[in-house]
Every structure is written in C-alpha cells, then in structure tokens.
Amino acid sequence: MAGLPGDKVRTMTGHMCEHENCDQVSEWRLQGETDSFGAEYEYFCDKHMAEIDEQLRNAEPQLEECEKCHKEHLDIMPVRDAEEGISGPVYYCCPACRDKLRTLW
C-alpha cells in the first residue's frame, strides 16, 4: 500500500458516489485511513469531490503533534519512513521531519 491518506485518483470502477443522497456514479477515489495492511477508500462524483476539496482548502489549521519530534505544528501531514519501505506505517509529521524522512529516499 504505497498511497497516503488524502490521495485521490480518477476512477472508472462503477462505484456509486458515497455522498449522502447522491445517485451519481463516482469519478474519484479518495484514500482514507491507511496502514501497512491496506487502506479504506471513499468514492465521489465530480460535484461532491469539488465540495470536499473546497472544504479542505477553507479548513482552519489545527495544532497537532508530530509523531517524530513530538512538537505541535499547524501543518502535520502523512509520510512514510523510507527505511520501513513504501508499504510501511504512515506517520503524521511536521515539514522538518517529513523532509528528513524524504532525504533518506
């Protein structure tokens, strides 16, 4: 499982949009909870994927703790440790820790 939470891809799987009361066929697959065993996905039509993108752009940043340096930051994002491989666990890290992990690649 090489993807990370928040990854989205165009899809033609025939899944229906999972947004409440939508009867459209999905065009997007959004990756949710992810670990070394796999990931959960949600499927959305163009209209509802655009709404989710807009909500994410307008969301207020929240202080969260980096899983590597244990300091609070506003810009925590998922990343993998290169030493653990592309299917290793997902860590939520600050920009400095993400950069450190990426330089190992």
Side-chain angles (χ1 to χ4, degrees):
M1 178 50 50
L4 291 170
D7 286 355
K8 68 178 188 178
V9 295
R10 280 262 188 209
T11 184
M12 299 284 229
T13 61
H15 284 89
M16 298 304 289
C17 178
E18 294 183 27
H19 194 273
E20 189 175 320
N21 298 324
C22 184
D23 61 357
Q24 300 295 310
V25 174
S26 68
E27 297 177 53
W28 293 97
R29 183 184 77 190
L30 181 62
Q31 188 166 331
E33 187 175 332
T34 305
D35 58 28
S36 54
F37 298 108
E40 294 178 3
Y41 299 102
E42 292 182 281
Y43 296 87
F44 298 101
C45 65
D46 274 337
K47 174 186 170 189
H48 291 115
M49 190 74 247
E51 288 176 8
I52 291 168
D53 287 340
E54 184 69 19
Q55 289 170 359
L56 292 172
R57 274 192 298 278
N58 293 327
E60 288 291 322
Q62 301 291 316
L63 275 177
E64 297 177 77
E65 183 178 316
C66 174
E67 291 184 12
K68 292 293 184 178
C69 70
H70 303 289
K71 295 178 183 171
E72 287 192 333
H73 296 270
L74 290 173
D75 45 5
I76 299 294
M77 293 183 66
V79 68
R80 285 202 166 86
D81 186 331
E83 291 180 354
E84 296 172 349
I86 61 169
S87 295
V90 175
Y91 297 100
Y92 289 83
C93 297
C94 67
C97 290
R98 287 194 311 268
D99 288 345
K100 287 178 193 173
L101 292 172
R102 286 187 190 125
T103 59
L104 298 174
W105 289 64

